[in-house]
Amino acid sequence: MTIRPLVILPDPKLRLVSEPVKEITDEIRTLAADMLETMYDAPGVGLAAIQIGVPLRMVTMDVSKSETERQPLVLLNPEIVWTSEEKRTYEEGCLSIPEYYEEVERPDRVKFRYMDLDGQTIEQEARDLMATCVQHEIDHLNGVLFIDHLSKLKRDRVMTKFKKAAKREASGA
Ligand code: K1U
Ligand code: ZN
């Protein structure tokens, strides 16, 4: 298992629409293991494959509170199949937008469907952090970031900050 480097804003890869996983191969199993390793190392509660530069519809998640009893999930081709009318606001972060947190309103509960690494189709209902996280991760698969749910003013401020940081890094300053 390898910890892979994270793709950081304003990298244009974050805006790609990822492709479906067509077959569960050893490469896909290795990618899943690397994504989990990278997610736990960050640390994060979710990760989409594009965040390590791979434009495939793959997500890892673990919203368990305990570090000793991990509950890793690998979602292949996940999709939201139902959302509640009720909304909730959660302070979100993103491993691709380090140290920036903002409140985002999303449906409170969702049902989502995915294929696991055994090829089984699973449908599951989520609430609380898991509901927020699965919506945030599926957004990544469609090139959408949580800052897209904020006002244009806030989004522009974040973009400017990260563009400046990337320029400084490229110039070695
Ligand atoms: O996709 C990502 O960038 C991961 C992101 C997922 C997420 C978190 C919170 C709300 C919505 C989506 C993160 O994991 S950010 C890190 C984080 O929230 C966290 C890290 C360690 C423990 C608990 C939370
Ligand atoms: Zn994110």
Side-chain angles (χ1 to χ4, degrees), residues 62-81:
D62 188 342
V63 296
S64 62
K65 299 239 161 59
S66 154
E67 264 194 39
T68 48
E69 284 175 52
R70 286 178 167 173
Q71 290 170 24
L73 272 181
V74 176
L75 318 181
L76 308 179
N77 305 328
E79 51 189 321
I80 305 284
V81 293

Side-chain angles (χ1 to χ4, degrees), residues 46-48 51 92-97 136-137 140 144-146:
L47 188 78
Q51 293 181 277
E92 298 196 17
C94 181
L95 299 178
S96 297
I97 312 176
H136 177 116
E137 300 309 331
H140 272 303
V144 175
L145 299 171
F146 86 92

Side-chain angles (χ1 to χ4, degrees), residues 12-27:
K13 282 193 208 87
L14 292 170
R15 293 308 189 175
L16 293 175
V17 176
S18 295
E19 293 291 328
V21 175
K22 294 212 175 88
E23 205 187 337
I24 302 165
T25 59
D26 283 348
E27 283 74 25

Side-chain angles (χ1 to χ4, degrees), residues 75-93:
L75 318 181
L76 308 179
N77 305 328
E79 51 189 321
I80 305 284
V81 293
W82 173 83
T83 57
S84 66
E85 289 294 323
E86 311 85 69
K87 312 276 185 206
R88 83 190 287 263
T89 302
Y90 198 94
E91 188 174 76
E92 298 196 17

Side-chain angles (χ1 to χ4, degrees), residues 4 16 25 31 36 38 49 57 59 70-72 77 85 96 102 117 128 139-140 142 147 163 165 170-171:
R4 305 217 205 163
L16 293 175
T25 59
L31 176 59
L36 284 169
T38 305
R57 300 187 83 79
V59 163
R70 286 178 167 173
Q71 290 170 24
N77 305 328
E85 289 294 323
S96 297
E102 269 293 348
L117 281 175
D128 301 321
D139 269 357
H140 272 303
N142 295 320
I147 55 171
K163 276 182 187 163
S171 74

